[in-house]
Amino acid sequence: MNTVDEETSRLSAAAWDQWAAADHPDDVTVMEAAHFQRITSPMPGMTAVDLACGTGHWTRQLAAWGMTVKGYDFSDEALRRAEAAGSCARVSYRLWDIVADPIPQALVRGQLDVVTCRNGLPYLEPGRLLTDVWRWLKPSGVFYAVVRVEATAEPGASTPFDLRLQEKHLGEVGAGWAKREVHPLGPDRRAIVLHGYGLAPWEWRRVMDESLTPAAGLTAAHASHRPTAEEDAS
């Protein structure tokens, strides 16, 4: 069976169903969770969307920090496994072909604190996707993506189920955002963090200052331990 569309080289939903059914591990490590906390400061009560959520490991991690989060994915089987992994009032999942289908009505302008995409960005037409993401985020919101990279100039590390960006192309992701950061997560993984699309850097800093003004005393809260998804019993 040919699992890749020959014209677009895009994996079908059926191919991703097979991939999910093979039960590929995608655990969230303590190091990755701690890194996300440090650079994005997740707080209880925030709202989030997890794009290309797969079987929901990262979606559940966001909920473990107290966020209300909705995971979207292309694969029925992946979402079935995500739901079977455990229920939580703060988590929901929806089927969505992010590339081809209309944007869900639930994704409205200026409502989200965080949008994440872990290991899925190369499949999702990043330039077009990010023009939608900024509309969904609040002015102080953050987009966080994890991508695998290949350092060499010539392709070679990518496979259909493990598409990678060349290191030299990372700088093209996030043009037009007020603040853009790339953090190493290991030899072949990078975290991309974007804030304030369309704002000048000084405008984004003002937005952040205003959003943090009522949050006195949060520094101590940030320093305290927060569980990984595996540690969270809810």
Side-chain angles (χ1 to χ4, degrees):
M1 171 176 152
N2 182 13
T3 60
V4 181
D5 185 305
E6 292 183 353
E7 293 184 359
T8 65
S9 296
R10 182 176 181 236
L11 289 165
S12 66
W16 283 114
D17 285 345
Q18 291 180 2
W19 177 261
D23 198 25
H24 296 274
D26 189 27
D27 295 334
V28 179
T29 66
V30 172
M31 181 183 75
E32 183 179 355
H35 186 83
F36 179 82
Q37 287 180 272
R38 182 175 64 81
I39 61 179
T40 64
S41 300
M43 298 295 295
M46 285 182 169
T47 55
V49 156
D50 185 23
L51 301 174
C53 67
T55 53
H57 290 270
W58 184 249
T59 319
R60 293 189 294 277
Q61 175 61 76
L62 296 174
W65 284 313
M67 294 185 180
T68 298
V69 54
K70 184 171 292 185
Y72 290 98
D73 201 86
F74 187 30
S75 165
D76 269 316
E77 177 64 18
L79 296 181
R80 187 191 69 78
R81 288 173 175 261
E83 291 171 343
S87 62
C88 171
R90 295 187 298 275
V91 177
S92 60
Y93 298 99
R94 295 291 184 275
L95 186 69
W96 180 28
D97 183 343
I98 297 170
V99 173
D101 289 347
I103 295 172
Q105 293 183 353
L107 292 174
V108 297
R109 180 183 291 269
Q111 296 299 306
L112 297 172
D113 296 292
V114 177
V115 175
T116 67
C117 184
R118 184 172 174 265
N119 302 323
L121 198 60
Y123 298 93
L124 301 179
E125 300 180 4
R128 190 186 73 165
L129 176 66
L130 290 175
T131 63
D132 293 322
V133 166
W134 77 265
R135 295 186 182 96
W136 308 333
L137 288 171
K138 297 176 182 178
S140 59
V142 59
F143 174 73
Y144 172 91
V146 173
V147 297
R148 294 189 181 276
V149 298
E150 51 187 17
T152 60
E154 296 297 326
S158 291
T159 68
F161 289 102
D162 183 25
L163 288 187
R164 301 184 178 215
L165 297 179
Q166 292 184 22
E167 190 89 52
K168 66 180 182 180
H169 291 154
L170 285 180
E172 300 170 8
V173 179
W177 293 69
K179 185 175 180 181
R180 178 185 172 281
E181 305 169 23
V182 177
H183 302 264
L185 292 178
D188 66 345
R189 299 176 78 226
R190 304 290 181 268
I192 302 171
V193 185
L194 305 176
H195 305 265
Y197 181 86
L199 297 177
W202 68 267
E203 292 176 305
W204 177 78
R205 287 193 294 270
R206 175 180 55 78
V207 167
M208 290 303 295
D209 288 343
E210 291 175 353
S211 69
L212 293 175
T213 298
L218 291 182
T219 302
H222 289 171
S224 63
H225 172 75
R226 291 192 181 88
T228 64
E230 288 76 14
E231 296 172 311
D232 183 70
S234 59

